[in-house]
């Protein structure tokens, strides 16, 4: 009985506003017939509902909407950034990655401009001078060594020397590896020419 | 459904959609929410404050606060419950700023309540008088009791929703509401001859 009274009592405000479904409304009506306390409460709630608020003026609600909308616009401007970074990929990812990439690019270009005539340019020049000098030096040394080696081999082994076909990569002839000297080297023809001359039988001359 | 006491219905879903639309950049959705609830917020504000000008200030502050804090709305309750919570907090802060620490109303302010029914009949005159009397009595209730009665009776919130709006337990709401209604019953009984 107490349980039902408490349950019904909670429904009285909704019952007074006709906001209950038919089934619940009927159970409240049944309870009201035997409960004077709930009947009194219903009278009080109905009395409270009869109190009304004064109208705030015709323009108040219209002005309210406009001022709140203006506040929302202002808020939106500041909100856009936080919204963007609170979104999952791809919006945040794309925007974030693009921003970071731009920053890195600008930084690198700035540093490159600033260091063009200092550290970086020196390194580049060194690389160029090395690349220019390396083939000539290497081929020069190789051609000298090869000539000596082949001459030595000829004196020791005439048969192999007479063949005259000392080819690059033929280690048995004491020649440098094909990795070191190639037909594209400037001195390659000289090497072969010298070798051919040297392979003539020295005892003939 | 986000909790045992929270029943999702179509009205709640509609409000959620409007909130989502506003976050997607649709200002019309915000205007629709304001239009839908501005009179309720004003009425609640008036019943808490008992003064029209203060109720207007509270209503404006409430919706400004809603715009600022809407992102913190986690949809764990209905939008209406959340809005009423903002209303209650805004009203109490406003009244404390303007009236000091005590937010008690006097009968002169409470007399601002007017009856809704203008029909000229004896029974309606009695109801009108009763309404005026209840309005002044409501204004004299302690803050928590008044809030629980306002939110339950005028706001149409359930016990659990009122607890969310007031930031307290359901048991506390029941106790505040019961004690508030009890004072009305006592006043009703003592003035039974008049009312």
């Amino acid at each position: 009985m107490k349980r039902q009274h408490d349950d019904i009592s909670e429904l009285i405000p909704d019952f007074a506003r006709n906001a209950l479904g038919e089934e619940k409304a009927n159970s409240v009506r049944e309870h009201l017939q035997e409960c004077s306390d709930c009947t009194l409460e219903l009278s009080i709630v109905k009395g409270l509902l009869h109190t009304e608020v004064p109208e705030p003026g015709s323009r108040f609600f219209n002005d309210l909407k406009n001022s709140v909308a203006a506040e929302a616009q202002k808020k939106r401007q500041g909100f856009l950034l936080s919204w963007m970074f609170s979104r999952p990929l791809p919006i945040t990812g794309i925007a974030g990655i693009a921003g970071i990439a731009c920053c890195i690019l600008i930084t690198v270009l700035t540093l490159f401009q600033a260091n063009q005539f200092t550290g970086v340019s020196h390194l580049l020049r060194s690389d160029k001078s090395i690349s220019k000098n390396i083939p000539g030096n290497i081929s020069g040394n190789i051609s000298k060594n090869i000539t000596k080696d082949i001459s030595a081999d000829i004196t020791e082994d005439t048969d192999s020397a007479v063949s005259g076909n000392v080819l690059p990569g033929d280690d048995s002839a004491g020649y440098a590896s094909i990795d070191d000297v190639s037909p594209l080297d400037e001195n390659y023809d000289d090497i072969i020419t010298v070798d051919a001359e040297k392979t003539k039988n020295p005892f003939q001359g | 459904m986000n909790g045992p006491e929270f029943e999702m219905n179509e009205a709640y879903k509609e409000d959620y959609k409007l909130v989502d639309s506003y976050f997607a950049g649709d200002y019309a959705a915000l205007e629709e929410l304001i239009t839908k609830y501005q009179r309720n917020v004003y009425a609640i504000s008036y019943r808490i404050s008992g003064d029209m000008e203060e109720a207007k200030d509270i209503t404006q502050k409430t919706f400004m606060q809603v715009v600022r804090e809407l992102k913190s709305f986690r949809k764990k309750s209905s939008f209406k419950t959340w809005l009423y919570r903002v209303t209650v907090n805004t009203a109490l802060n406003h009244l404390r700023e303007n009236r000091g620490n005590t937010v008690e109303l006097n009968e002169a302010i409470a007399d601002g309540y007017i009856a809704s029914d203008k029909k000229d009949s004896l029974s309606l005159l009695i109801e009108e008088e009763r309404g005026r009397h209840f309005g002044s009595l409501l204004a004299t209730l302690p803050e928590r009791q008044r809030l629980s009665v306002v939110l339950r009776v005028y706001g149409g919130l359930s016990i659990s929703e009122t607890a969310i709006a007031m930031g307290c337990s359901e048991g506390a709401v029941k106790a505040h509401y019961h004690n508030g209604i009890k004072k009305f019953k006592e006043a009703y009984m003592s003035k039974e001859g008049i009312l």
Side-chain angles (χ1 to χ4, degrees):
Chain A
M1 181 68 184
K2 171 70 176 163
R3 169 76 182 165
Q4 192 195 10
H5 171 81
D6 290 345
D7 291 344
I8 296 294
S9 179
E10 285 185 18
L11 297 175
I12 285 176
D14 286 337
F15 180 78
R17 288 195 312 272
N18 296 319
L20 283 181
E22 193 56 36
E23 191 181 338
K24 283 185 177 178
N26 283 334
S27 62
V28 172
R29 281 189 202 100
E30 284 175 16
H31 179 75
L32 287 173
Q33 286 176 351
E34 56 192 33
C35 181
S36 58
D37 197 42
C38 283
T39 307
L40 180 57
E41 187 171 328
L42 178 64
S43 297
I44 289 164
V45 171
K46 280 185 173 178
L48 283 168
L49 288 171
H50 266 89
T51 63
E52 206 179 58
V53 295
E55 273 295 313
S58 57
R59 289 180 57 189
F60 172 70
F61 290 119
N62 199 36
D63 291 347
L64 174 72
K65 215 183 300 182
N66 291 337
S67 58
V68 174
E71 175 72 14
Q73 291 270 9
K74 204 190 301 175
K75 176 78 180 165
R76 172 70 69 180
Q77 289 170 358
F79 174 74
L80 269 177
L81 278 176
S82 61
W83 176 82
M84 196 175 73
F85 285 100
S86 68
R87 296 290 101 179
L89 287 170
I91 295 171
T92 304
I94 292 169
I97 290 167
I100 291 167
C102 283
C103 289
I104 291 171
L105 188 64
I106 290 167
T107 307
V108 168
L109 287 173
T110 308
L111 286 173
F112 184 77
Q113 288 290 331
N115 292 313
Q116 193 172 10
F117 301 105
T118 56
V120 177
S121 59
H122 283 305
L123 284 173
L124 289 173
R125 276 186 209 142
S126 300
D127 288 345
K128 282 177 184 174
S129 60
I130 288 164
S131 62
K132 276 183 182 176
N133 296 329
I134 284 171
N137 291 339
I138 290 174
S139 58
N141 292 333
I142 289 167
S143 61
K144 284 176 186 174
N145 292 334
I146 289 171
T147 309
K148 286 176 187 173
D149 292 342
I150 291 174
S151 302
D153 288 342
I154 288 168
T155 53
E156 287 177 6
D157 187 357
T158 307
D159 292 339
S160 64
V162 167
S163 67
N165 296 323
V166 182
L167 296 173
D170 185 357
D171 289 339
S172 63
Y175 197 82
S177 162
I178 194 166
D179 295 332
D180 299 324
V181 179
S182 77
L184 294 176
D185 281 340
E186 291 175 6
N187 298 322
Y188 180 79
D189 291 339
D190 296 339
I191 294 165
I192 301 303
T193 308
V194 168
D195 288 345
E197 288 172 359
K198 293 290 183 185
T199 53
K200 289 178 183 174
N201 191 345
F203 301 105
Q204 285 180 349
Chain B
M1 190 157 163
N2 293 310
E5 73 285 350
F6 176 44
E7 289 180 17
M8 176 76 81
N9 62 32
E10 288 305 313
Y12 295 170
K13 285 178 187 172
E14 189 184 317
D15 289 348
Y16 288 171
K17 278 181 189 171
L18 290 172
V19 171
D20 291 340
S21 298
Y22 168 63
F23 279 126
D26 183 6
Y27 284 96
L30 178 67
E31 288 190 7
E32 199 173 332
L33 277 173
I34 296 169
T35 305
K36 188 174 179 180
Y37 288 110
Q38 59 187 3
R39 286 188 176 275
N40 292 4
V41 169
Y42 169 74
I44 295 288
S45 303
Y46 180 76
R47 276 157 178 150
I48 294 173
S49 68
D51 180 78
M52 187 177 77
E53 289 306 318
E54 283 189 316
K56 285 160 78 173
D57 289 345
I58 292 166
T59 305
Q60 178 131 359
K61 282 182 181 178
T62 296
F63 280 106
M64 293 294 186
Q65 194 69 10
V66 164
V67 167
R68 287 186 210 107
E69 300 297 329
L70 195 54
K71 64 178 181 293
S72 70
F73 174 52
R74 303 290 179 212
K75 298 179 183 173
K76 290 182 177 174
S77 65
S78 68
F79 176 76
K80 185 174 89 170
T81 304
W82 181 81
L83 175 64
Y84 283 0
R85 180 174 184 138
V86 176
T87 307
V88 166
N89 289 339
T90 306
L92 295 181
N93 287 337
H94 176 86
L95 296 178
R96 283 180 183 127
E97 283 169 13
N98 290 281
R99 298 180 189 173
N101 287 328
T102 54
V103 190
E104 299 302 330
L105 305 179
N106 56 47
E107 291 205 11
I109 293 172
D111 281 344
Y113 287 102
I114 58 172
S116 61
D117 210 328
K118 307 295 185 204
K119 290 176 187 173
D120 187 20
S121 70
L122 183 61
S123 61
L124 289 177
L125 280 172
I126 290 172
E127 280 188 356
E128 190 176 303
E129 176 58 28
R130 187 182 291 162
R132 188 175 289 118
H133 175 66
F134 283 168
S136 26
L137 187 59
L138 178 67
T140 62
L141 289 180
E143 181 184 293
R144 308 298 284 179
Q145 290 178 18
R146 186 167 70 252
L147 288 176
S148 64
V149 170
V150 167
L151 293 172
R152 292 276 290 123
V153 174
Y154 299 112
L157 299 186
S158 65
I159 295 280
S160 57
E161 288 173 328
T162 307
I164 292 170
M166 288 175 65
C168 63
S169 67
E170 291 183 27
V173 169
K174 284 178 184 174
H176 291 312
Y177 179 77
H178 175 76
N179 290 334
I181 292 294
K182 190 179 171 186
K183 285 179 183 168
F184 280 103
K185 285 177 182 173
E186 288 168 359
Y188 187 90
M189 297 299 283
S190 66
K191 293 194 174 186
E192 196 175 11
I194 301 169
L195 298 173

